Amino acid sequence: MAQNPAPSQEREAVDGTCPRCGAAELRRYPVNSEGGWFDVVKCQVCLNSCSRERGPRLGAIQLLSDRI
């Protein structure tokens, strides 16, 4: 029986270093949490959130009303 591949999210590399551990492994990607969708920059070594900004209401789904 064939298995479906695990879902994955593209993570964009970001210049800089983590203020907590000093690693130069920062990535930007969307996350869904208790407050809705956010665009975050996280250290891939210690998982520290370096920045967190409100993202689109429905994540990757864009409504026409959001564009006007």
Side-chain angles (χ1 to χ4, degrees):
M1 181 174 198
Q3 292 185 356
N4 293 329
S8 65
Q9 173 61 52
E10 187 94 15
R11 296 177 180 193
E12 175 188 347
V14 176
D15 290 335
T17 58
C18 175
R20 179 180 289 168
C21 74
E25 295 291 325
L26 302 180
R27 300 288 185 269
R28 179 186 330 273
Y29 51 96
V31 297
N32 191 10
S33 69
E34 70 283 349
W37 284 95
F38 290 87
D39 294 323
V40 299
V41 173
K42 292 184 79 71
C43 175
Q44 300 302 287
V45 174
C46 72
L47 298 179
N48 179 51
S49 291
C50 299
S51 74
R52 178 178 163 146
E53 299 175 1
R54 171 102 24 219
R57 289 186 301 167
L58 298 176
I61 300 170
Q62 290 189 329
L63 300 175
L64 180 59
S65 60
D66 290 341
R67 294 183 184 187
I68 54 174

